[in-house]
Amino acid sequence: MANSAVHPWLILPLSGLLSFACGEFTLPALPYAYDALEPHIDAETMTIHHGKHHATYVANLNKAVPDGTADLASLAEMQASLVSKGAAARNNGGGHYNHAFFWVNLVPSSGPSMEPSPDLAAAIEDRFGSLDNMKAEFEKAALGRFGSGWAWLGVRPDGTLGITSTANQDNPLMEGLEYAAERMVPILGLDVWEHAYYLKYRNRRPDYVKAFWNVVNWNKVSRSYDVYARKQKPVPPTSTGGGHAVEL
């Protein structure tokens, strides 16, 4: 008798399509199980972070922007104007985008090893001298962000790579931030809010930041660079930038 179990990867494309079809923003499904990032990011943290924190941003964004076009492409496009739309739209619109973007840039470390594409590797080499130097600068930004926020690797308006950090649920796509943050199209982000790591790492943010590199989906980051960011287009926070469940 054939096995009738439904594989998760068959369900994910439909969940992605639903986020495009409905009138409200919906919480996107993760492209992996909650425990898939162990031991680097624990299952309990992932369950709460995605199912509670991210879900709250989605629900509150629907209240703040009730008449918006609720798909992930428009979510990326709206980031530039969120500061001008008030605190609720800014915090929850940024919170939804940042988290959706964060999830799809992660991948189980048990899978095939990954590295940046040749084009992205060349851009990293040109800007930072080496991948290790880039990681060191990124970690400095992540550790230097006081309180809650994010660290970002992205493409600056001049086409070169840059690293910056933002407070709270801001991101470097937003125009009109009241503090110094370099504007760029992000291709990789790291959540340094305590809820992202405290259950496992307690107050050891440096350990969490180091562990992050073990689960970076360089295939996704490279595609975001090649297809979107180097053209100064915001990256839709989907698994491939097109609603598919797996990286093409």
Side-chain angles (χ1 to χ4, degrees):
M1 182 176 179
N3 186 349
S4 61
V6 178
H7 294 285
W9 60 267
L10 292 174
I11 298 172
L12 285 171
L14 178 59
S15 66
L17 290 173
L18 286 174
S19 67
F20 281 79
C22 349
E24 293 189 332
F25 288 106
T26 59
L27 180 68
L30 295 179
Y32 40 73
Y34 283 128
D35 63 355
L37 305 179
E38 295 270 12
H40 310 293
I41 302 178
D42 62 286
E44 185 178 9
T45 292
M46 289 296 298
T47 302
I48 297 170
H49 197 176
H50 175 258
K52 300 296 184 182
H53 290 281
H54 188 179
T56 298
Y57 288 120
V58 174
N60 288 336
L61 176 61
N62 286 321
K63 296 175 184 177
V65 190
D67 300 321
T69 303
D71 61 61
L72 293 175
S74 69
L75 178 65
E77 295 288 346
M78 73 165 57
Q79 297 303 305
S81 63
L82 283 178
V83 172
S84 67
K85 295 183 183 300
R90 172 181 179 173
N91 293 335
N92 294 293
H96 183 18
Y97 179 82
N98 293 354
H99 284 88
F101 185 77
F102 182 49
W103 308 134
V104 297
N105 281 315
L106 304 178
V107 68
S109 60
S110 58
S113 61
M114 294 184 185
E115 58 186 21
S117 68
D119 283 352
L120 178 56
I124 290 172
E125 181 83 18
D126 181 64
R127 176 66 178 82
F128 302 103
S130 70
L131 181 61
D132 285 342
N133 288 347
M134 183 279 288
K135 289 180 178 180
E137 189 166 332
F138 187 95
E139 291 171 15
K140 182 178 178 180
L143 299 176
R145 171 50 56 190
F146 181 78
S148 302
W150 294 74
W152 305 96
L153 170 69
V155 180
R156 303 186 296 187
D158 66 2
T160 62
L161 294 177
I163 288 171
T164 193
S165 73
T166 54
N168 301 315
Q169 292 299 345
D170 294 343
N171 62 62
L173 291 170
M174 293 179 177
E175 297 177 353
L177 295 177
E178 307 88 349
Y179 56 88
E182 191 168 11
R183 186 162 167 76
M184 61 183 64
V185 177
I187 58 174
L188 181 65
L190 176 60
D191 188 348
V192 294
W193 284 61
E194 285 191 342
H195 66 236
Y197 63 88
Y198 203 82
L199 289 178
K200 180 177 179 65
Y201 294 98
R202 304 305 183 192
N203 63 337
R204 304 189 309 275
R205 186 191 287 188
D207 292 350
Y208 162 69
V209 174
K210 287 283 188 186
F212 168 67
W213 299 115
N214 294 302
V215 291
V216 170
N217 185 344
W218 284 112
N219 289 350
K220 167 60 179 171
V221 176
S222 297
R223 189 176 190 278
S224 296
Y225 172 74
D226 292 335
V227 177
Y228 293 97
R230 70 194 308 184
K231 301 172 185 176
Q232 288 297 292
K233 295 179 180 179
V235 180
T238 56
S239 294
T240 64
H244 302 286
V246 295
E247 188 64 43
L248 300 179

